[in-house]
């Protein structure tokens, strides 16, 4: 396993991050325990979760994943030092999470305390803002969109960001979190947080996790370039495009128990005519090179300059084994060239 620095932090993380959002709906405690044990045995030390999980998000599934991880930690206390544990505070929009309110400094403090209790640990290594208070360009809202911008809203947003950083600083000073990061944010969001941190001597954002895959490359190279030059870790989520890049959903297939058999949130239903055409091309390309479509997509993601650690997830041990193995063998120059040609043919299929 390859290990890298997490941006400007002093944390060293594996190039593979184990995602956990299915634990509590598609996977139970025993499944999660097995995945954690296997991942650690393979050298993965980076675990990502969120207060909003499991998914699909509901009032009933809220907090379940953190609780499952907490149960594992309570039985494996000696291994806490071996993992870099990341979680996230939910942004606005869910009535059952702080009445759907915005992220504020006070809400950060309250959410951190709740996550610590569910996780049964005394600190969180990386605490992330799951999505911004302002309308996000993520979760399928990047194109087309009708986002309106005004100077007044800009100033209000910056004041809110400063309040959030002050709440994060309180948690850092109390030893509850070590480092802070972003998720589903934009270059403007990155720039403002970095500027405010420097101006007010507040915690610096060390990472951002955004959606990134062969079907969703909008961050490349622009936002990723900023991450490289600002020494921020870039952490792709959904590198298999909600499973589409495995090919298992082609031609309308819906394998029993798979993600697309569950209710999908607005903006995340990606099984379209254009995405299917792109997936067909990638699946056929993988077959010609004797590699599984999933492993090709994951290996491609990992080799993009600027990617720090790729967040993977699985609902079965067979999937987890296949996904982790994808990072052990680099893509050939020939295959990378053919992938790039396919990317030009399908630059933005959804």
């Amino acid at each position: 396993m390859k290990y890298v620095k997490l941006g400007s932090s002093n944390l060293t993380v594996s190039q593979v991050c184990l995602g956990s959002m299915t634990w509590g709906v598609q996977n139970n405690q025993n499944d999660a325990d097995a995945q954690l044990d296997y991942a650690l045995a393979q050298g993965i030390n980076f675990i990502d979760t969120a207060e909003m999980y499991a998914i699909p998000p509901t009032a009933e599934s809220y907090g379940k994943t953190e609780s499952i991880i907490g149960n594992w930690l309570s039985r494996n206390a000696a291994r806490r030092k071996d993992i870099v544990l990341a979680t996230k505070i939910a942004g606005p929009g869910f009535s059952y999470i702080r009445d759907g309110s915005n992220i504020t400094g006070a809400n950060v403090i309250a959410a951190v305390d709740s996550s610590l209790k569910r996780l049964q640990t005394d600190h969180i290594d990386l605490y992330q803002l799951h999505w911004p208070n302002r309308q996000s360009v993520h979760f399928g809202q990047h194109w087309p969109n009708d986002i309106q911008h005004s100077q007044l809203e800009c100033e209000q947003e910056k004041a809110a960001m400063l309040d959030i950083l002050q709440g994060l600083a309180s948690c850092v000073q109390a030893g509850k979190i070590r480092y802070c990061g972003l998720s589903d944010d934009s270059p403007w969001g990155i720039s403002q947080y970095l500027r405010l941190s420097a101006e007010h001597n507040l915690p610096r954002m060390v990472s951002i996790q955004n959606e990134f895959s062969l079907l969703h490359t909008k961050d490349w190279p622009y936002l990723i370039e900023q991450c490289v030059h600002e020494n921020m870790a870039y952490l792709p989520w959904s590198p298999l495009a909600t499973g589409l890049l495995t090919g298992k959903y082609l031609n309308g297939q819906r394998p029993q128990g798979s993600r697309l058999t569950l209710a999908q949130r607005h903006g995340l239903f990606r099984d379209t005519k254009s995405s299917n055409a792109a997936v067909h091309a990638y699946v056929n390309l993988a077959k010609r090179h004797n590699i599984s479509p999933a492993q090709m997509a994951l290996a491609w993601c990992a080799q993009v300059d600027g990617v720090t650690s790729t967040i993977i997830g699985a609902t079965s041990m067979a999937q987890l084994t296949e996904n982790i193995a994808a990072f052990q063998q680099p893509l050939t120059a020939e295959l990378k060239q053919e992938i790039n040609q396919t990317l030009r043919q399908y630059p933005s299929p959804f």
Side-chain angles (χ1 to χ4, degrees):
M1 181 63 64
K2 179 182 177 182
Y3 299 90
V4 290
K5 287 290 293 294
L6 187 74
S8 59
S9 78
N10 68 358
L11 300 174
T12 300
V13 298
S14 49
Q15 70 167 334
V16 185
C17 176
L18 180 62
S20 59
M21 67 182 183
T22 62
W23 302 351
V25 172
Q26 291 176 273
N27 293 103
N28 58 28
Q29 182 74 57
N30 289 337
D31 296 334
D33 291 349
Q35 288 195 28
L36 283 162
D37 290 340
Y38 181 79
L40 266 66
Q42 301 307 304
I44 293 176
N45 73 340
F46 195 12
I47 312 298
D48 181 70
T49 190
E51 66 167 341
M52 189 187 76
Y53 298 161
I55 60 96
T58 64
E60 292 71 32
S61 62
Y62 169 72
K64 279 192 173 181
T65 306
E66 286 187 330
S67 295
I68 284 173
I69 294 173
N71 292 337
W72 182 88
L73 284 172
S74 71
R75 288 182 274 103
N76 295 272
R79 306 182 78 176
R80 175 64 182 91
K81 67 182 186 303
D82 300 326
I83 67 173
V84 174
L85 181 60
T87 192
K88 315 177 197 73
I89 180 175
F94 289 91
S95 61
Y96 54 86
I97 305 177
R98 295 176 291 279
D99 297 321
S101 61
N102 283 351
I103 302 176
T104 64
N107 280 344
V108 163
I109 294 169
V112 166
D113 287 341
S114 294
S115 286
L116 287 172
K117 184 176 181 180
R118 286 188 292 266
L119 290 166
Q120 300 186 54
T121 188
D122 63 355
H123 72 281
I124 295 161
D125 297 296
L126 177 64
Y127 195 68
Q128 305 152 108
L129 312 182
H130 207 152
W131 61 89
N133 290 329
R134 68 189 189 281
Q135 185 176 347
S136 176
V137 296
H138 295 272
F139 306 117
Q141 305 303 308
H142 58 290
W143 177 262
N145 68 67
D146 58 356
I147 298 175
Q148 302 295 310
H149 306 285
S150 74
Q151 191 60 39
L152 175 61
E153 290 173 338
C154 175
E155 294 306 316
Q156 292 172 338
E157 187 67 29
K158 287 189 284 189
M161 289 175 168
L162 178 58
D163 179 54
I164 290 168
L165 285 171
Q166 290 167 340
L168 290 168
S170 174
C171 294
V172 171
Q173 291 162 7
K176 296 176 181 179
I177 61 177
R178 297 180 66 189
Y179 295 99
C180 313
L182 298 172
S183 180
D184 303 304
D185 215 323
S186 67
W188 184 82
I190 291 174
S191 298
Q192 296 310 308
Y193 274 111
L194 293 180
R195 181 184 63 80
L196 290 166
S197 295
E199 288 181 358
H200 298 274
N201 193 29
L202 293 167
R204 188 182 195 275
M205 297 298 180
V206 303
S207 64
I208 184 168
Q209 61 167 273
N210 280 355
E211 182 177 6
F212 187 66
S213 71
L214 283 168
L215 300 184
H216 195 81
T217 60
K218 67 180 180 57
D219 282 350
W220 187 44
Y222 308 107
L223 187 144
I224 292 179
E225 178 191 28
Q226 184 179 18
C227 288
V228 170
H229 294 317
E230 297 287 2
N231 197 16
M232 284 184 66
Y234 185 78
L235 311 172
W237 63 260
S238 200
L240 294 179
T242 66
L244 292 179
L245 284 165
T246 66
K248 66 183 178 182
Y249 296 121
L250 284 174
N251 304 315
Q253 296 181 86
R254 294 293 183 270
Q256 185 177 0
S258 63
R259 181 173 179 179
L260 291 193
T261 62
L262 305 175
Q264 296 298 302
R265 292 166 56 206
H266 174 68
L268 288 179
F269 187 77
R270 305 295 177 74
D271 189 17
T272 64
K273 182 178 180 179
S274 56
S275 67
N276 265 265
V279 171
H280 267 293
Y282 286 121
V283 168
N284 290 335
L285 178 57
K287 288 180 179 178
R288 291 200 301 273
H289 286 265
N290 296 313
I291 184 174
S292 80
Q295 290 184 323
M296 184 183 78
L298 292 172
W300 173 85
C301 202
Q303 60 83 47
V304 170
D305 183 43
V307 167
T308 303
S309 181
T310 303
I311 304 169
I312 64 169
T315 54
S316 71
M317 287 301 299
Q319 290 174 340
L320 184 62
T321 301
E322 178 184 9
N323 290 350
I324 294 174
F327 298 86
Q328 298 172 359
Q329 184 66 42
L331 298 174
T332 65
E334 179 186 1
L335 179 51
K336 285 193 288 186
Q337 182 178 11
E338 291 189 51
I339 290 173
N340 286 338
Q341 291 170 349
T342 308
L343 269 172
R344 289 175 178 270
Q345 187 177 0
Y346 302 99
S348 185
F350 55 62

